[in-house]
Amino acid sequence: MRYSFKATPKQRAFIESEAFETLYGGAAGGGKTFVQALDALLYAGRYQGSRQLILRRTFRELERSMVPQTMALFPREFCRYNASRHLWRVGASTIELGYIATEGDVQQYQSAEYDVIRFDEMTHFTESQYRYMMSRVRGVNRFPKRIKCTANPGGVGHAGAKARFIDLGAPMQVHECEGGSRLFIPAKLEDNPFLMQADPDYELRMRNLPEEVYRALREGDWDCYVGQYFTEFRRETHVVQPFALPAHWRRYVALDYGLDMLAAYWIALDEGGRAVVYREVYEPNLIIPEAARRLREADTGEQVTAWFAPRDLFSRRQETGRSVADIFAEEGLYLTQVSNSRVAGWYELKRRLQPVRDEFGGVSPRLTIFDSCVNLIRTLPSVQHDERNPNDVSGEPHELTHAPDALRYFCDGCPLPAEIPRARDYDTVTYEEEIGNVMDF
């Protein structure tokens, strides 16, 4: 039986991709759900006896998108749907529709084997969920093994998807990586002429969205996405190349510590209170004395005004009677406790990220970051609003929170700007002193 369909060039690239992992996405309206369903149908027909799984984060999302899409697309002449099992049969092949709402939901697929797993809206899944399901792509048959993903920027998996596909290299090129090849196919509204012809006012309605939402959904900008907390962050504005810091600038260190991660940042303030984050320590699996020693190794001996740390590091442990701060002090590092006011600290950090006019008439933010602080640059724009408290930063994915938390402790510490040095503080002679020497002579 012949089956005809229309697809855009980008959609065809997705269907024809031979990379182990493929991501098609970016802007809204690119026809992502359609091409995911179409590709599944074509694969099932071509490789009879194959098994596929299409995933959404919740069953409700599945019912609102993939179920009606497959119902409209799959021809009943050779496709049968079992609604109770959420399973399509295409000849001898099967296409299962599933969901993973929680971390524990992956266990329902523990013994499963699939030739292709499809993540519809990959960014709605956590990195751990994605990695676990990758292991379910297996089998002794000779069918091509694939992971096919579609996504818009934003969601709990945004940072993982960005690192996995967008930051990897140029789009529309297959990149060989550990574990298999990857391909990113960017999709924009212009790539879907069918939608633009059917609904020409769609783009006009999108212009009413907030700027960060518009940039994510219309432009497919992966540095700005729906749910992003620090919408003020711009890589081209806040990230700078290292430069020599004046000796009189006041230095601080702010740190977040747990066995899962030690995140510490050296920050210098100029006379106007502008901050520069210039050094980073970001290492997991360090016990308390090792963490303290690692910080001492990173410190170059410059005068640090205060080492800011959160309240929980000062709580004495019942089994030892000592706190993390006590053990740090034994290693020669004396921590200063900050208020750890989450929302107030985040707001102050947002204020520092906003550009303001300086004394020379230029516009620059109150906080910049050396490009050597790679983990802060990676995680700061990736944290999201907490769904239960939009004023707060979400604690998930937890790995993204360590570096921003350390920066928040810096803000909570109310650091003082540098003092303008007096002339006698330099190894030079002032004009008045020189005149005095002449008169004495």
Side-chain angles (χ1 to χ4, degrees):
M1 178 178 291
R2 296 182 61 85
Y3 181 59
S4 61
F5 59 89
K6 292 182 179 180
T8 69
K10 293 283 185 72
Q11 290 172 337
R12 285 186 176 274
F14 179 78
I15 294 170
E16 296 170 0
S17 172
E18 296 182 357
F20 176 60
E21 298 176 72
T22 303
L23 172 62
Y24 175 81
K32 297 183 297 297
T33 301
F34 166 79
V35 74
Q36 190 74 276
L38 176 61
D39 189 29
L41 175 63
L42 296 176
Y43 183 97
R46 183 180 301 116
Y47 301 104
Q48 280 294 295
S50 62
R51 300 186 62 192
Q52 299 181 74
L53 172 65
I54 304 179
L55 289 169
R56 285 298 297 249
R57 184 62 191 262
T58 67
F59 180 68
R60 178 168 293 184
E61 291 174 353
L62 201 66
E63 286 188 315
R64 289 175 175 173
S65 60
M66 191 55 67
V67 171
Q69 180 67 80
T70 54
M71 286 288 187
L73 183 64
F74 288 12
R76 298 300 191 277
E77 292 86 349
F78 55 93
C79 298
R80 296 289 183 270
Y81 184 60
N82 187 322
S84 62
R85 297 179 59 190
H86 313 298
L87 184 74
W88 280 98
R89 291 194 177 277
V90 184
S93 301
T94 59
I95 303 173
E96 182 181 346
L97 308 183
Y99 66 94
I100 302 176
T102 67
E103 294 295 326
D105 283 343
V106 298
Q107 298 303 320
Q108 63 184 310
Y109 302 103
Q110 185 173 7
S111 59
E113 293 184 358
Y114 299 98
D115 300 299
V116 181
I117 293 182
R118 302 175 181 276
F119 291 86
D120 196 36
E121 294 297 348
M122 173 196 177
T123 50
H124 291 186
F125 298 88
T126 66
E127 181 73 6
S128 61
Q129 289 170 334
Y130 182 84
R131 287 183 175 275
Y132 181 87
M133 294 307 298
M134 284 181 64
S135 68
R136 304 303 91 193
V137 178
R138 55 183 182 167
V140 296
N141 60 55
R142 296 185 178 181
F143 301 148
K145 301 298 183 286
R146 302 280 187 262
I147 294 178
K148 293 290 191 80
C149 306
T150 59
N152 292 322
V156 296
H158 173 91
K162 185 173 181 290
R164 197 169 195 85
F165 290 97
I166 286 76
D167 296 339
L168 186 63
M172 302 300 295
Q173 295 182 16
V174 176
H175 299 272
E176 296 298 330
C177 306
E178 182 179 357
S181 54
R182 299 176 198 163
L183 170 65
F184 171 54
I185 303 172
K188 290 193 175 184
L189 181 59
E190 291 81 0
D191 296 321
N192 189 2
F194 309 124
L195 175 61
M196 297 185 71
Q197 293 171 8
D199 187 2
D201 294 332
Y202 178 69
E203 182 180 14
L204 293 176
R205 294 196 298 274
M206 293 190 73
R207 293 185 181 275
N208 295 321
L209 295 171
E211 179 187 359
E212 66 274 12
V213 180
Y214 179 83
R215 285 177 57 195
L217 295 184
R218 175 62 182 87
E219 302 297 333
D221 187 343
W222 286 85
D223 280 327
C224 188
Y225 59 92
V226 180
Q228 183 181 30
Y229 193 90
F230 292 107
T231 56
E232 301 83 0
F233 182 85
R234 297 288 186 275
R235 190 179 297 262
E236 63 273 15
T237 301
H238 295 94
V239 179
V240 298
Q241 293 184 345
F243 58 88
L245 299 171
H248 70 279
W249 283 14
R250 200 183 298 269
R251 266 74 163 172
Y252 294 89
V253 179
L255 63 98
D256 181 59
Y257 170 73
L259 185 59
D260 56 336
M261 188 62 66
L262 167 66
Y265 293 91
W266 278 251
I267 306 165
L269 271 73
D270 67 9
E271 305 89 340
R274 293 179 185 269
V276 179
V277 185
Y278 66 93
R279 188 179 301 145
E280 173 183 73
V281 169
Y282 196 86
E283 294 184 21
N285 303 318
L286 297 176
I287 62 175
I288 302 173
E290 290 175 339
R293 288 193 287 270
R294 178 67 185 90
L295 294 178
R296 290 185 61 187
E297 291 172 359
D299 190 41
T300 60
E302 64 235 274
Q303 183 177 352
V304 174
T305 301
W307 295 71
F308 293 135
R311 187 181 307 164
D312 61 290
L313 298 192
F314 293 82
S315 300
R316 296 184 183 276
R317 302 190 175 189
Q318 186 175 0
E319 63 272 17
T320 64
R322 295 187 301 168
S323 66
V324 173
D326 292 333
I327 300 175
F328 269 54
E330 293 171 3
E331 296 291 335
L333 289 182
Y334 300 93
L335 305 182
T336 298
Q337 180 176 330
V338 299
S339 65
N340 198 20
S341 174
R342 289 185 62 85
V343 174
W346 296 132
Y347 280 6
E348 172 59 17
L349 181 50
K350 288 174 78 70
R351 186 187 74 85
R352 285 185 175 274
L353 292 173
Q354 291 175 345
V356 293
R357 192 169 299 280
D358 58 31
E359 61 271 23
F360 304 107
V363 176
S364 60
R366 298 181 180 90
L367 184 141
T368 53
I369 306 167
F370 276 12
D371 61 14
S372 54
C373 300
V374 294
N375 289 289
L376 178 59
I377 296 167
R378 172 179 62 86
T379 58
L380 188 61
S382 298
V383 293
Q384 304 173 73
H385 288 274
D386 189 301
E387 293 182 355
R388 292 169 294 183
N389 181 8
N391 295 319
D392 199 357
V393 166
S394 173
E396 297 295 335
H398 185 60
E399 191 275 326
L400 298 179
T401 64
H402 302 294
D405 272 336
L407 212 54
R408 173 168 59 86
Y409 303 146
F410 164 76
C411 295
D412 283 339
C414 300
L416 297 175
E419 294 182 355
I420 299 177
R422 296 171 298 174
R424 68 180 67 253
D425 293 331
Y426 289 107
D427 294 330
T428 58
V429 179
T430 66
Y431 177 74
E432 290 80 4
E433 289 173 337
E434 184 68 28
I435 293 295
N437 291 337
V438 172
M439 295 297 290
D440 291 340
F441 179 79

